[in-house]
Amino acid sequence: MRTLAVKFTLAFLAVGISGALLVAAISGLRTRQEFARFVTERRGNPLLADLILGHYTKNNSWNGFGEWIDNEPLLDVVRRRIVLVDHDQTVVYSPLPEYRGINTAEQDLGGGIPIEKDGVRVGTVYDVNRFAAGERFPRPSPESFFLRNVNQATGLAALIAGLLALALGILLSRALTRPLRELTSATEEMSAGKLGGQVNVYSQDEIGKLASSFNHMSSELAQASRLRKQMTADIAHDLRTPLTVLRGYTEGLRDGSIQGREDLYELLHQEVAHLQRLVEDLRTLSLADAGELPLQRRAVDPKALLERAGLAHVVLAKQKNVDLSVNAPEMLPSVVVDLERMTQVLNNLVTNALRFTSEGQIILSATAHSSFVTLQVADTGIGIAGDELHHIFDRFYRVDRSRSRDGLAQSGLGLAIAKAIVEAHDGTIQAESTPGKGSRFSIQLPKQAN
């Protein structure tokens, strides 16, 4: 029972079946009782009449009738339902004391079971329901009394079924509205700026899935807010450092405390280039976030793409004594990509591999699958710790912050940009790593349609 449709169906079915069963059970029981009473009044009961007549014949009167019937096992049930009237229409016996001694001569009781001796009626037995408590008037006729009691039984059964339906409805509505109330409260808190709130998940139906989705969305929004604040701080930091250097040296040049020289001009040029890279990276990310990253797509051979990235870094790899190689078959299906953008992605991955691989090898490979092509950049470097692997595509995240200002330093946006570019090509990028053994980045791109 995992969906609301099933829950509602079963709830309505339970109410319907229980109501029908209650009506059938109560009406049936009451109908049988009233019908037995009706038959008794209309046709009489020979056994009852014979037993009562036996007492009268033995005593030649109704004296001691109450004591006798109270101790007669055969009449254990009957004595609570009968009223005995003698030949003078005076109540001789009744289970209700207020009836005893009442004379009913002026009342048209009608019906009853006659008690006759030698052809003479010496008494009459009536059902106790023929009398109204505290009144001197007879009940309605057996026919109308029977119909009235049956209708009352049916009404009572319907009332009980309605109360049961109301109780089930209240329980079901509370079960449904409780998580909705919590979701409403949580969304109000979220609109007030309190991100990250969670609600309880009570079931696995649609509302449970809604609660789970809300919890995931709330966590993602809180994480996005945290990253946005962190990114703002990182941008400020990355801008402050080169600007501080530039301001210090330019002020020194202006007041003559520092003399211009070639290495100083080279340093200033590097800081300006760093600022330019940072601004360009931020612009690329903003375009990707807005879905407006310009792409000049064309069919490209995956192996040629890898060879281009490898050729750009082969000199640096030799300087670091790292074996950089391309391992891809000749006949690979083409991928439709922006050559410059995808080269930017591979260059970033190879640059990172060289940064963290002091010796060993870096392998660029490609494999074809049914609907996509996988490009991989694998190295035998220091690897990435498990707790850091989940954050490497975050903006401004650096695995080794001690290298943030070395010669190979980037803005901290390289992998975030790589992910944005790959996703703009309807692809995916993933990272695997074993500390001390190396890392492997895999890019999956849709292959060119035939």
Side-chain angles (χ1 to χ4, degrees):
M1 195 163 61
R2 300 176 66 87
T3 66
L4 285 179
V6 174
K7 287 184 176 181
F8 277 122
T9 301
L10 293 181
F12 294 146
L13 181 62
V15 171
I17 292 178
S18 59
L21 291 176
L22 280 172
V23 171
I26 297 177
S27 298
L29 177 62
R30 193 62 181 269
T31 300
R32 286 192 297 271
Q33 292 175 347
E34 291 302 318
F35 186 75
R37 184 197 62 77
F38 173 75
V39 171
T40 298
E41 289 198 353
R42 297 296 292 176
R43 298 184 180 179
N45 189 322
L47 176 60
L48 176 62
D50 290 344
L51 289 172
I52 294 176
L53 180 60
H55 171 80
Y56 182 86
T57 301
K58 181 179 179 181
N59 297 278
N60 201 30
S61 70
W62 294 116
N63 293 333
F65 179 80
E67 183 180 353
W68 168 78
I69 197 173
D70 287 340
N71 293 283
E72 178 57 51
L74 294 176
L75 300 177
D76 183 55
V77 177
V78 174
R79 63 172 170 263
R80 295 193 294 269
R81 295 187 55 84
I82 66 171
V83 174
L84 175 63
V85 179
D86 63 11
H87 63 284
D88 294 328
Q89 300 299 309
T90 300
V91 176
V92 175
Y93 172 81
S94 170
L96 302 175
E98 60 267 27
Y99 292 165
R100 295 173 187 174
I102 295 176
N103 188 277
T104 62
E106 297 180 358
Q107 302 173 16
D108 183 18
L109 294 177
I113 303 173
I115 308 298
E116 297 179 348
K117 180 181 180 182
D118 299 330
V120 178
R121 179 177 289 196
V122 296
T124 306
V125 176
Y126 296 99
D127 189 276
V128 71
N129 289 322
R130 295 285 291 151
F131 294 80
E135 299 178 0
R136 297 292 182 91
F137 301 96
R139 290 283 185 171
S141 64
E143 294 87 347
S144 61
F145 191 72
F146 168 74
L147 292 175
R148 190 197 68 178
N149 286 344
V150 169
N151 291 334
Q152 287 179 347
T154 304
L156 177 62
L159 176 61
I160 295 176
L163 292 176
L164 177 61
L166 178 61
L168 289 176
I170 291 174
L171 291 176
L172 182 60
S173 64
R174 287 184 176 179
L176 292 177
T177 57
R178 181 181 180 184
L180 292 178
R181 288 195 301 270
E182 292 187 6
L183 280 170
T184 301
S185 177
T187 53
E188 290 174 351
E189 290 183 357
M190 182 178 292
S191 65
K194 298 179 181 178
L195 303 178
Q198 302 287 291
V199 297
N200 295 320
V201 180
Y202 296 101
S203 61
Q204 296 299 319
D205 56 17
E206 288 84 350
I207 293 182
K209 292 179 180 178
L210 175 63
S212 298
S213 299
F214 175 85
N215 289 340
H216 179 71
M217 178 191 68
S218 180
S219 298
E220 290 294 319
L221 287 176
Q223 176 70 3
S225 178
R226 186 189 65 81
L227 290 177
R228 177 180 56 81
K229 294 176 181 178
Q230 182 64 40
M231 184 179 72
T232 303
D234 289 337
I235 291 175
H237 176 269
D238 274 44
L239 289 173
R240 185 185 300 113
T241 301
L243 288 175
T244 300
V245 173
L246 289 173
R247 180 175 180 176
Y249 281 113
T250 53
E251 287 180 352
L253 290 171
R254 185 185 63 180
D255 58 24
S257 59
I258 298 177
Q259 297 298 321
R261 56 185 187 276
E262 184 177 351
D263 59 340
L264 176 59
Y265 297 144
E266 179 63 26
L267 175 62
L268 295 177
H269 177 74
Q270 290 178 1
E271 294 300 331
V272 172
H274 179 72
L275 283 174
Q276 187 176 8
R277 281 198 307 272
L278 178 59
V279 172
E280 184 60 30
D281 287 347
L282 289 172
R283 178 177 179 275
T284 301
L285 276 179
S286 65
L287 290 174
D289 289 341
E292 298 177 356
L293 185 65
L295 297 176
Q296 304 297 325
R297 302 194 188 200
R298 61 186 179 89
V300 176
D301 179 13
K303 184 176 182 179
L305 191 61
L306 295 176
E307 288 177 342
R308 180 178 180 178
L311 184 62
H313 297 83
V314 64
V315 175
L316 182 59
K318 288 182 178 180
Q319 293 175 354
K320 297 196 63 176
N321 195 29
V322 173
D323 181 20
L324 178 62
S325 61
V326 176
N327 182 14
E330 293 293 339
M331 301 301 293
L332 282 173
S334 300
V335 291
V336 180
V337 297
D338 185 313
L339 179 61
E340 298 303 324
R341 294 292 187 185
M342 198 53 60
T343 299
Q344 179 183 357
V345 172
L346 292 173
N347 284 342
N348 180 273
L349 297 180
V350 176
T351 299
N352 287 339
L354 285 170
R355 182 183 302 139
F356 298 107
T357 304
S358 57
E359 60 181 11
Q361 61 180 349
I362 297 174
I363 301 176
L364 282 64
S365 61
T367 54
H369 302 274
S370 58
S371 60
F372 59 90
V373 175
T374 299
L375 308 179
Q376 289 188 341
V377 177
D379 63 65
T380 58
I382 62 175
I384 305 171
D387 55 340
E388 295 183 321
L389 191 62
H390 300 291
H391 301 286
I392 58 173
F393 293 106
D394 294 346
R395 300 175 184 185
F396 290 99
Y397 187 83
R398 299 185 181 92
V399 175
D400 187 357
R401 295 186 179 272
S402 64
R403 302 191 181 199
S404 61
R405 299 294 298 166
D406 63 13
L408 292 174
Q410 302 295 319
S411 62
L413 296 171
L415 289 178
I417 292 175
K419 181 180 180 181
I421 293 175
V422 171
E423 291 179 347
H425 285 85
D426 300 320
T428 60
I429 182 170
Q430 297 176 337
E432 304 172 58
S433 183
T434 302
K437 295 185 178 180
S439 304
R440 179 171 63 251
F441 287 81
S442 301
I443 301 172
Q444 291 184 351
L445 297 171
K447 68 180 184 181
Q448 183 183 19
N450 295 327

